[in-house]
Amino acid sequence: MGLRMIDPAKQPSQLNRRTALQTAGATVALAAASGVGGLTDGAPAATPPADASDHDGPGFWPNGARLAVSLSLMFEGGGQPISGAGGVIPEPIAKGVPDLPTNAFFAYGHYEGIPRLLDLMDKHAIKLSSFMIGQAVETSPDLAQEIVRRGHEAAAHGRIWDNSYQLAREEEKRFIADSVETIHKVTGKNPIGWNAYWMRSSIYILETLQDLGFLYHIDEPSHDEPFIVPVRGRDFVTVPYTFHLNDIVSFPFVGWNPAAYEEALRDEYDQLYEEGAQRRRMMVISLHDRISGHAGRVRVLDRFLSYAKSKGDVWFARKDEIARYVLANRAGTGVIDRGSPSKTGLPGPTA
């Protein structure tokens, strides 16, 4: 059941939205920043806390569910550099010149995209995990508070929308810790999940995240189920991410086909649901504030979620819920004992 132990040596190398958000956000008490770490994320969960007794049905998830579906929402608008950020305009702007339309494209996420996606999640009673850029949270604190108020997970995505893998080890740790402190100050939540810019962190990342009190990361698109990697004698969870169902990679504005996207979502769902009769399966959908928050894309997601919710034995879960569940049900969770990333090319302990 699930993954097997792997020997790396044998493996190949309706009010105005903004006004409503500001009003709601004002009701959330700001917590003082208090160091980094801890696993005390008190945001309302989509399901009760998982424990070993939850695995009591024919499936591999709580209440015998046959498939877990988890959505990610990247909260990045306001965290990008004002010059040189990637966007929909193919021609790069002259170095150092503020890219006004690209920055407005990013701003769409916090003005329109996230509020629209939050309404969609409410409609379907789904909770997701939002990976937040620290600077984006500082730019739109009311929006970060609203995400948490509605029961979604606040996870970390770095100080700014940029790489950290090229930083020295302690500098990368500070880059991550800064985002944690900002999210905690604004929302009162300590992030326990990490996602790097384009999934790229340094080879020290699992140990760094463990030091900072994280429980899991998502920066590995290698499996269709979560697994554990032992790091310095303690379990660290990977809740896999996706490229092929990631809006920023697979479905750009140019040539985007809503019917094809909907079919891709359904096909992925149906295949994994079918496999879920025999093994633990998880479907991941990645949404970005400025991309999937557009009206036409939300309409496609609405149709898909109506379809996906039609089956009663599917668990729609935040990623922190998934991580905690697999730890509480370790006997049914794959454990991969890897060597150093510098040798395997995959996330693992450096020691």
Side-chain angles (χ1 to χ4, degrees):
M1 177 172 60
L3 303 168
R4 294 179 297 171
M5 291 287 288
I6 296 176
D7 180 357
K10 298 180 181 179
Q11 299 304 309
S13 287
Q14 287 196 29
L15 294 169
N16 175 276
R17 277 196 181 93
R18 197 65 174 168
T19 302
L21 286 170
Q22 291 169 341
T23 301
T27 67
V28 181
L30 296 180
S34 60
V36 181
L39 305 181
T40 55
D41 181 1
T47 61
D51 57 38
S53 66
D54 287 328
H55 195 177
D56 57 2
F60 301 94
W61 295 109
N63 303 313
R66 185 160 159 170
L67 174 66
V69 177
S70 187
L71 289 84
S72 300
L73 173 58
M74 303 303 154
F75 182 5
E76 297 173 342
Q80 79 283 355
I82 67 170
S83 179
V88 298
I89 302 174
E91 179 181 326
I93 198 166
K95 186 176 181 179
V97 177
D99 192 342
L100 305 183
T102 295
N103 291 317
F105 168 61
F106 273 84
Y108 187 93
H110 53 251
Y111 287 132
E112 301 284 356
I114 291 180
R116 186 177 284 128
L117 286 165
L118 293 180
D119 289 347
L120 180 66
M121 294 304 112
D122 284 352
K123 176 180 179 178
H124 293 280
I126 291 172
K127 307 302 179 186
L128 50 69
S129 295
S130 180
F131 292 85
M132 303 178 174
I133 295 288
Q135 190 170 287
V137 171
E138 290 176 334
T139 301
S140 302
D142 57 315
L143 191 54
Q145 293 161 4
E146 178 70 359
I147 290 171
V148 168
R149 189 191 70 80
R150 296 207 197 185
H152 306 291
E153 179 190 3
H157 197 27
R159 180 195 300 130
I160 58 175
W161 195 63
D162 201 358
N163 284 306
S164 65
Y165 69 85
Q166 80 280 14
L167 300 175
R169 186 170 184 171
E170 289 304 312
E171 291 175 345
E172 182 181 50
K173 181 181 284 189
R174 185 71 255 164
F175 179 88
I176 298 169
D178 284 351
S179 67
V180 171
E181 291 170 359
T182 298
I183 292 167
H184 182 267
K185 179 180 179 180
V186 172
T187 71
K189 305 303 176 184
N190 278 328
I192 61 166
W194 168 250
N195 169 230
Y197 177 91
W198 286 105
M199 302 192 207
R200 285 176 169 158
S201 299
S202 75
I203 64 171
Y204 309 105
I205 191 60
L206 297 193
E207 292 160 1
T208 293
L209 293 175
Q210 192 180 70
D211 289 344
L212 293 176
F214 284 82
L215 191 68
Y216 75 92
H217 79 131
I218 67 171
D219 295 330
E220 185 174 334
S222 65
H223 292 82
D224 288 320
E225 61 183 290
F227 56 91
I228 290 169
V229 174
V231 179
R232 299 180 296 195
R234 290 180 287 156
D235 290 342
F236 196 83
V237 182
T238 297
V239 183
Y241 199 36
T242 178
F243 279 126
H244 70 289
L245 289 182
N246 192 318
D247 58 4
I248 203 169
V249 174
S250 300
F251 305 103
F253 287 94
V254 178
W256 184 71
N257 185 328
Y261 179 40
E262 186 174 354
E263 183 177 5
L265 290 170
R266 285 189 180 226
D267 285 347
E268 183 91 356
Y269 177 91
D270 289 342
Q271 179 65 29
L272 292 173
Y273 182 84
E274 183 179 300
E275 293 176 8
Q278 303 298 326
R279 61 184 297 191
R280 182 178 283 167
R281 303 278 77 184
M282 181 182 75
M283 177 179 178
V284 179
I285 304 171
S286 175
L287 314 174
H288 285 73
D289 48 7
R290 62 197 177 278
I291 301 176
S292 287
H294 283 266
R297 290 179 183 243
V298 163
R299 183 57 61 95
V300 175
L301 286 168
D302 189 13
R303 290 196 298 268
F304 168 72
L305 292 175
S306 294
Y307 173 74
K309 294 277 287 191
S310 68
K311 297 183 187 294
D313 54 349
V314 175
W315 185 36
F316 290 83
R318 302 176 357 171
K319 288 172 176 57
D320 58 340
E321 295 176 301
I322 291 173
R324 288 189 170 106
Y325 182 79
V326 300
L327 287 171
N329 295 271
R330 196 177 190 277
T333 299
V335 178
I336 302 180
D337 197 4
R338 286 179 175 157
S340 170
S342 62
K343 296 180 180 179
T344 66
L346 297 166
T350 57

